[in-house]
Amino acid sequence: MSLIGLAVGPASATSSHHPSGHQSHQQPSHHHPEPKTVPVRLLSINDFHGNLEAPTGSSGRITDETGTQVDAGGAAYLATHLKQMRNKNSVVVAAGDLIGASPLISAAYHDEPTVALLDKLGLATSAVGNHEFDEGIDELNRIMKGGCHPVDGCSPAGTWKGSSFDYLAANVLKEKNDDYALAPYYVKKINGVKVGFIGLVTQTTPTIVTAAGIKGLKFTEEVAAANKVSRLLARQGVKAQVVLMHEGDQVAPNQSPDACPNTPGAGTRIAQGLDAQVDLVISGHSHQAYICKTKDPAGRDRYFTQGSSFGRVITQIDFQVDKKTDDIVRSSVVADNHVVTRTVTPDPEITAFVQTWKDRVSVVANKPIGSITADIGRGSTNGGESALGDLIADAQLEATKEGGNAEIALMNPGGVRADLTFAQSGSEGNGVVTYGEAFTVQPFNNLMQAVTLTGAQLDALLEQQWTAAATRVLQPSATLTYTADLTQAFGSRVSGIKVNGVPVTDTQQIRVAANNFLVGGGDGFSVFTQGTDLWSGPLDIDALVTYMGAHSPIAPPVTNRLTVIQ
């Protein structure tokens, strides 16, 4: 099998220059002995999510090495930091979710602006993330190979040329023939040594992406998939191996980005299970910053890192490669999470690039769609209900009544990405809500759908909100009320379900509206997939925009739809 994506670095990285950069002269070898190792520097990011502009609020801050909360992120600052950290031995890589769930400046153009930025930053390769599948594998291939969007056409920049990097996935196969859906690995030649990068994405992708997004694909267990590719690379003489994986651990909050306050989870499981030939594990998905060491199956230390999210951290990993063995010298590895502070001068070229897209999208973003009387936020009650979640569910119910005959609506809390505040930046501070602000709340462009569930199925669905693994409380429309007794065992907590104040029976047929992510069984709500008579309607963002236009000014809903006993 030939090397997929074999790349040769720039001339300066592959020439016969000494590490100092001075030309080699023909002198006796005892004066200038050949170095036994060559240096390599990896610069990695993860979970960028199209944040071209500096992210705001808590998304734009991070705890630095001194324990201080600092402003971080923004493409122009990221570019400056990368330039300062680069040397002739460096390569920029990533661990997925670079696009998808993006701010409007990028999402309005199917994330072409973000991919163009990544090319400007010199990204060599990235693991694919779950959000890269939001619009399906055909759209992801378009992003890599070029061509204008099949529905929306070309962006204001003209015909899309494609990316100069490819996404990697060793554990994503085509259902029809078990072929790799994406390149499983990429090899980069630096200073005459080959470094192999193996890509992985969380095997839970089918539960967190819409069914349409992963149609025709299957996601296999990460460790086995990576180890198969690792052995293949080793047979081809590529001994220096790095896994880029879109999976990670959770950590204790407000720690130094260089600490390892991890709660061992899926990330640790993979990092410990990968073949001993793999020298480094660069992770993503959990939006945390950490520099950890774990043991490989041979008992040797192996670094396991992640660089937060939204371009707030660059992970710098330096190491030496032994020229005789072509392998990474483990004892030479040094890893550091570098905070992308905004105290540096923003890169002027990238500043202009971002401003161009900001100007292009402003016509859409600044359009007022309604108003609110006070802040409507995601802050939840003890039971997990939030005012903004309730508002969105009400909007979704109204959008699905006609045509879908919906009686209740349910919204997943993870899909509510920001608060609506009365004094929004960018508006007059008088409660006006713009399209851009609404989009920030709901950036996924999910389709509204409705299905029929029996009363017994609705009860079973609501029980799935509480499991041993996680609590995810669906946000209910005003037409649904019930009681949850959290002192009871899992599966026996819900009672008193009422639709429009009328108690629900087990055999009753109920039309339930939700976005297509939930209806496809997302977030573990598998009961949704038992629904019948599927109906599809407008996009979720359009439902919210229409509702706000019809009901403004809107006051925060009272969060009393869910009664909780604790």
Side-chain angles (χ1 to χ4, degrees), residues 177-407:
N177 56 16
D178 278 356
D179 284 349
Y180 288 116
L182 298 163
Y185 66 87
Y186 170 85
V187 175
K188 177 80 172 175
K189 198 169 186 181
I190 307 165
N191 282 357
V193 295
K194 296 172 184 174
V195 180
F197 298 91
I198 301 168
L200 293 174
V201 64
T202 173
Q203 65 177 321
T204 68
T205 296
T207 71
I208 52 177
V209 173
T210 61
I214 48 97
K215 188 176 181 182
L217 303 175
K218 60 182 181 182
F219 295 76
T220 66
E221 194 277 319
E222 304 94 344
V223 173
N227 287 351
K228 178 181 177 182
V229 175
S230 172
R231 291 189 293 271
L232 173 66
L233 286 172
R235 286 198 300 272
Q236 296 181 352
V238 182
K239 303 295 179 60
Q241 296 183 8
V242 179
V243 162
L244 305 172
M245 72 169 181
H246 193 70
E247 181 61 282
D249 285 348
Q250 295 298 326
V251 303
N254 302 318
Q255 305 293 308
S256 163
D258 295 325
C260 182
N262 292 34
T263 301
T268 291
R269 171 183 64 80
I270 299 166
Q272 292 177 343
L274 292 167
D275 193 287
Q277 185 68 65
V278 174
D279 299 288
L280 296 166
V281 184
I282 296 172
S283 69
H285 189 50
S286 55
H287 290 207
Q288 307 297 343
Y290 50 78
I291 302 288
C292 293
K293 278 183 183 177
T294 187
K295 296 290 185 185
D296 70 14
R300 293 190 301 162
D301 282 342
R302 177 161 62 196
Y303 271 98
F304 165 43
T305 69
Q306 190 176 159
S308 183
S309 60
F310 309 145
R312 291 176 291 177
V313 167
I314 301 165
T315 305
Q316 176 180 324
I317 306 176
D318 289 291
F319 54 85
Q320 299 286 325
V321 177
D322 188 310
K323 290 172 72 175
K324 192 172 182 180
T325 65
D326 292 325
D327 208 349
I328 291 174
V329 180
R330 290 278 181 96
S331 60
S332 72
V333 181
V334 179
D336 174 51
N337 268 339
H338 179 96
V339 175
V340 178
T341 60
R342 299 182 200 162
T343 54
V344 297
T345 303
D347 183 274
E349 180 195 352
I350 302 303
T351 298
F353 173 83
V354 172
Q355 187 61 49
T356 295
W357 286 103
K358 193 174 177 182
D359 293 343
R360 285 168 173 165
V361 82
S362 63
V363 178
V364 179
N366 293 335
K367 182 182 177 184
I369 61 165
S371 62
I372 53 178
T373 63
D375 292 354
I376 305 179
R378 295 169 293 166
S380 62
T381 63
N382 289 339
E385 185 184 354
S386 74
L388 186 52
D390 285 356
L391 168 62
I392 290 170
D394 289 343
Q396 294 183 345
L397 176 62
E398 189 160 300
T400 53
K401 273 183 176 176
E402 188 176 339
N405 299 314
E407 299 167 81

Side-chain angles (χ1 to χ4, degrees), residues 65-84:
E65 292 86 350
T66 70
T68 306
Q69 284 265 313
V70 297
D71 291 334
Y77 298 103
L78 180 66
T80 295
H81 283 272
L82 276 172
K83 278 184 179 176
Q84 292 173 351

